[in-house]
């Protein structure tokens, strides 16, 4: 029987192993991130899944350091499956398996190659996208396409919800196509010409520009929700993370962008009204750096975020 390795550090990894094992196509080798990288967005360990199914596990922060290649050869792995790994797979590992190496990327390739695809999907205002399953080659997300599954992005979805949608599709694609790939029943097609590469994002890129239109600030906050670190702003020398907000269809304010205007009490949208470059935003869930998540309204009532405070000043 053909055998495959599954390399991932993402939250859907263990549920995917459960589904694959249940249908009789469990991985023969698991590769994941070590606990020292648990601070990475979306990190999930594979140790429990490896122990549950008796699957050998390699934990590494460098997929190309030679250890993965040695295990793939020792375990007679035929197919290498990669999802949510921060490095490109290089030779000799890339070409070590007779059936090749495949990857998952949550954009409609060839659009959106590169890093941070889900935050960029929301920041760019896309209303739909896709998960692409493709063969890996030397480039970044450039290999032949095996399949794509579309998904919708609502204006109400934050990246947590988009991540959930992508997780379900990832598992479905692996459960469907890994058996087909192992039995040689898949015909891939080249990606269409053109496409785009989205830039890498770093934690420091999460600073909020309150002078932007309120709709853009709203999208920015949605795009950096969990499992990402969150959009943030400064308040009198302290860092305040903004985890959720609501866009309101009211006019703008005369006060400078980032000014805390008033409390908002309602069953559906309680928070703090903040001026933006145009229109207004209700900031809801926040967190001081190093602290616990709290309602923004509670901060206002406690005097930590009073009316008139300038965010980002």
């Amino acid at each position: 029987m053909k055998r495959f390795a599954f390399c991932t550090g993402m939250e859907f990894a263990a549920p995917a192993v459960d589904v694959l094992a249940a249908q009789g196509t469990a991985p023969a080798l698991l590769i994941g991130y070590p606990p020292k990288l648990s601070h990475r967005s979306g990190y999930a360990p594979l140790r429990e899944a490896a122990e549950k199914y008796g699957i050998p596990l390699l934990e590494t922060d460098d997929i190309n350091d030679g250890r993965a290649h040695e295990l793939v050869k020792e375990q007679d792995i035929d197919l290498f499956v990669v999802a949510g790994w921060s490095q490109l797979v290089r030779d000799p590992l890339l070409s070590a398996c007779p059936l090749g190496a495949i990857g998952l990327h949550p954009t409609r390739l060839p659009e959106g190659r590169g890093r941070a695809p889900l935050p960029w999907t929301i920041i760019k205002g896309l209303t739909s996208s896709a998960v692409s399953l493709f063969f890996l080659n030397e480039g970044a997300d450039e290999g032949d396409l095996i399949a794509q599954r579309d998904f919708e992005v609502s204006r109400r979805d934050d990246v947590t919800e988009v991540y959930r949608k992508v997780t379900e599709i990832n598992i479905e694609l692996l459960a469907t196509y890994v058996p087909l790939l192992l039995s040689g029943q898949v015909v891939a097609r080249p990606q269409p010409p053109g496409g785009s590469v989205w830039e890498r994002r770093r934690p420091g890129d999460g600073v909020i520009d309150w002078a932007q239109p309120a709709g853009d600030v709203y999208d920015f906050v949605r795009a950096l929700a969990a499992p990402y670190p969150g959009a943030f702003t400064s308040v009198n020398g302290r860092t305040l993370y903004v985890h959720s907000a609501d866009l309101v269809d009211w006019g703008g304010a005369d006060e400078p962008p980032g000014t805390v205007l008033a409390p908002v009490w309602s069953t559906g949208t309680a928070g703090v009204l903040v001026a933006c470059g145009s229109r207004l935003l209700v900031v809801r869930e926040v967190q001081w750096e190093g602290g616990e998540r709290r309602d923004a309204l509670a901060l206002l009532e406690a005097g930590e975020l009073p009316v008139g405070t300038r965010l980002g000043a």
Side-chain angles (χ1 to χ4, degrees):
M1 177 181 291
K2 302 292 186 181
R3 295 155 57 86
F4 76 99
F6 187 25
C7 172
T8 181
M10 305 305 290
E11 291 177 357
F12 77 91
V17 174
D18 286 337
V19 171
L20 290 163
Q23 69 179 22
T25 53
L29 173 65
L30 291 172
I31 301 174
Y33 288 129
K36 70 177 183 180
L37 298 183
S38 60
H39 61 280
R40 289 192 175 180
S41 299
Y43 168 87
L46 278 171
R47 287 184 182 180
E48 185 174 335
E51 293 172 358
K52 180 178 181 180
Y53 296 106
I55 303 171
L57 170 66
L58 169 65
E59 292 182 329
T60 180
D61 58 0
D62 184 357
I63 195 65
N64 298 305
D65 67 1
R67 290 181 295 162
H69 178 254
E70 290 177 5
L71 276 174
V72 162
K73 301 303 289 184
E74 289 174 5
Q75 296 288 330
D76 293 322
I77 300 298
D78 300 285
L79 176 70
F80 197 71
V81 179
V82 184
W85 200 263
S86 64
Q87 297 171 280
L88 294 178
V89 179
R90 305 289 190 185
D91 276 329
L93 178 58
L94 181 62
S95 56
C97 298
L99 296 177
I102 63 169
L104 289 160
H105 189 71
T107 71
R108 189 177 288 110
L109 292 175
E111 297 298 327
R113 294 173 176 141
R115 302 287 189 88
L118 295 187
W120 278 124
T121 293
I122 295 177
I123 292 171
K124 292 176 178 292
L126 300 186
T127 58
S128 67
S129 188
V131 177
S132 299
L133 180 68
F134 62 102
F135 279 104
L136 302 182
N137 62 15
E138 294 81 1
D141 309 317
E142 296 177 357
D144 290 353
L145 288 171
I146 299 166
Q148 288 182 323
R149 293 285 190 274
D150 292 345
F151 62 89
E152 300 301 315
V153 182
S154 162
R155 196 75 196 279
R156 298 179 63 185
D157 290 342
D158 62 12
V159 77
T160 307
E161 175 61 15
V162 177
Y163 195 101
R164 183 195 64 78
K165 294 177 182 180
V166 168
T167 290
E168 292 181 354
I169 297 171
N170 282 341
I171 294 173
E172 184 271 325
L173 283 171
L174 291 177
T176 299
Y177 283 94
V178 164
L180 295 176
L181 285 157
L182 293 176
S183 60
Q185 299 181 56
V186 170
V187 177
R189 66 186 189 279
Q191 292 188 30
S196 61
V197 177
W198 293 348
E199 296 178 10
R200 179 179 181 179
R201 295 190 60 81
R202 296 173 174 82
D205 296 328
V207 63
I208 299 170
D209 181 358
W210 296 103
Q212 293 292 313
D216 291 350
V217 178
Y218 171 67
D219 291 343
F220 194 71
V221 170
R222 291 190 302 129
L224 298 180
Y228 299 96
F232 63 91
T233 189
S234 59
V235 184
N236 298 323
R238 300 178 70 186
T239 298
L240 183 71
Y241 287 88
V242 179
H243 294 294
S244 65
D246 284 317
L247 187 62
V248 292
D249 193 18
W250 300 336
D254 295 331
E255 287 79 2
T259 302
V260 175
L261 300 175
V264 176
W265 290 281
S266 75
T267 55
T269 309
V272 173
L273 197 64
V274 178
C276 294
S278 67
R279 300 171 67 186
L280 304 171
L281 201 71
V282 177
V283 172
R284 297 180 63 190
E285 188 181 20
V286 296
Q287 178 184 10
W288 292 115
E289 185 173 28
E292 300 293 327
R293 292 195 181 198
R294 299 168 63 187
D295 289 337
L297 188 57
L299 262 64
L300 184 147
E301 293 171 333
E304 297 178 55
L305 203 65
V307 170
T309 301
R310 284 286 306 281
L311 305 180

